Amino acid sequence: MARTGQGKKRPAGKADSIRTLRESEARFRSLTNLSSDWYWEQDAQFRFTRIEGRNTSPHAPTLMGRTRWETELEVEGGWTQHRALLSARRPFVDVLMWRIEANGRVRYMSISGEPFFDARGKLLGYRGVGRDVTARKRAEQLLRLEHQVARALSEATDANAGLQAVLHAMCETEGWGSGRYFSIDEATGEATFVTGWSIADAGFERFIAASGGLSFRPGYGLVGKVLQTGDPLWSTDTRSDPRVREHALVQEAGARGAFLFPVTAEGRRIGVLGFSSRILREPDRRLLQAAAV
């Protein structure tokens, strides 16, 4: 007598469903890792509910439950424009966002997202991917800076105008508060302040004005170190750097990070350029390389 049900397929059980779900999730993670650095989701109020991936920001945990505009993030075009896009339920691709890290560096991100809805068409939120594009943006910025400097020098009516243009371009592009130029006196071998530029800030303006008449002999102070070695120099915090010899000026201006490098012409060292900022800035390898150019 034949057994009842012999040869019939058994209905998929709970274990099969779980396995299928896990396989689908694994494929999703693999595709996300291949196409981006991280995956994110937001609820209907645009608050983060999920962030995961191989290169997420260390700030990711602080984003949960918050919208992007409630954080330190900035977006190209401004948040008003971006929020209007979200309110219109429109997708977006490769939108540039950035934030200033604790070390003074800027992290740039390219973000893409799209809305998702329930069966009745009600908005459930947004989801998308992100990529870290900091290296690419830094390369673009430094190339643009080189072009600005070259154009400024070619269009300058005299040496002082050229120096002012270079200082302005460097501060504006790289976020420094002030820049100073010290010319090397061939007779004494010292580097003497010639000119400077600063953002519209009372502290930095006084810093530039008080630099008039300053001179540094080789090896003395940050300027003197560059004068002596001919190498670029970085100070993460000038307030605690024992090489600094302008403590009163630095304190009054509220300056912290500093970057200096020699200026050469036809293979001869002719001066030193120095830049200051109010934030602590870790050495930027790409900027150090660009200084030689």
Side-chain angles (χ1 to χ4, degrees), residues 4-257:
T4 304
Q6 187 175 4
K8 291 184 179 180
K9 293 183 178 179
R10 295 174 58 190
K14 184 176 181 181
D16 295 325
S17 298
I18 293 175
R19 183 171 61 253
T20 300
L21 182 62
R22 286 176 176 172
E23 290 174 351
S24 176
E25 181 75 8
R27 286 196 297 271
F28 165 77
R29 290 176 184 275
S30 177
L31 288 172
T32 299
N33 286 337
L34 287 172
S35 62
S36 61
D37 287 337
W38 65 87
Y39 170 81
W40 55 269
E41 287 184 4
Q42 296 171 337
D43 62 19
Q45 285 72 47
F46 315 117
R47 297 173 301 206
F48 280 103
T49 59
R50 182 179 181 185
I51 303 175
E52 61 182 48
R54 57 186 170 86
N55 190 23
T56 58
S57 167
H59 302 284
T62 68
L63 298 177
M64 303 304 291
R66 304 168 70 191
T67 65
R68 285 192 172 96
W69 49 89
E70 291 174 330
T71 70
E72 295 77 18
L73 280 170
E74 297 294 341
V75 63
E76 192 171 40
W79 285 118
T80 299
Q81 177 179 315
H82 187 73
R83 292 176 69 174
L85 181 149
L86 298 179
S87 297
R89 311 296 191 254
R90 292 167 54 193
F92 56 92
V93 178
D94 291 334
V95 171
L96 185 66
M97 299 184 188
W98 64 91
R99 70 182 301 149
I100 300 176
E101 304 290 346
N103 60 11
R105 296 180 184 175
V106 182
R107 188 187 194 209
Y108 292 93
M109 296 151 276
S110 178
I111 308 296
S112 299
E114 63 179 10
F116 62 100
F117 308 86
D118 65 12
R120 297 182 178 181
K122 179 182 178 181
L123 178 71
L124 295 178
Y126 264 76
R127 58 191 170 199
V129 293
R131 291 182 294 116
D132 189 313
V133 294
T134 303
R136 189 194 77 196
K137 288 297 297 182
R138 285 297 291 140
E140 292 174 357
Q141 289 172 341
L142 293 175
L143 181 60
R144 184 165 61 250
L145 176 60
E146 291 175 18
H147 291 166
Q148 288 178 332
V149 168
R151 184 172 64 251
L153 292 175
S154 66
E155 296 175 352
T157 55
D158 54 46
N160 188 67
L163 285 168
Q164 285 286 318
V166 169
L167 293 168
H168 186 177
M170 184 73 170
C171 290
E172 186 176 67
T173 303
E174 293 299 306
W176 297 100
S178 69
R180 300 181 297 172
Y181 176 67
F182 295 82
S183 177
I184 298 177
D185 188 321
E186 292 186 357
T188 65
E190 295 184 345
T192 301
F193 176 80
V194 173
T195 189
W197 185 91
S198 78
I199 59 175
D201 176 273
F204 277 124
E205 288 171 350
R206 288 194 298 270
F207 182 60
I208 296 299
S211 297
L214 282 179
S215 291
F216 295 90
R217 63 180 183 271
Y220 185 79
L222 299 182
V223 175
K225 290 291 184 183
V226 176
L227 181 62
Q228 183 182 54
T229 65
D231 297 323
L233 182 152
W234 198 283
S235 177
T236 302
D237 187 357
T238 52
R239 292 187 182 182
S240 58
D241 192 328
R243 299 171 297 180
V244 175
R245 293 294 181 269
E246 308 166 80
H247 290 293
L249 285 180
V250 167
Q251 289 282 356
E252 185 177 358
R256 304 298 293 272

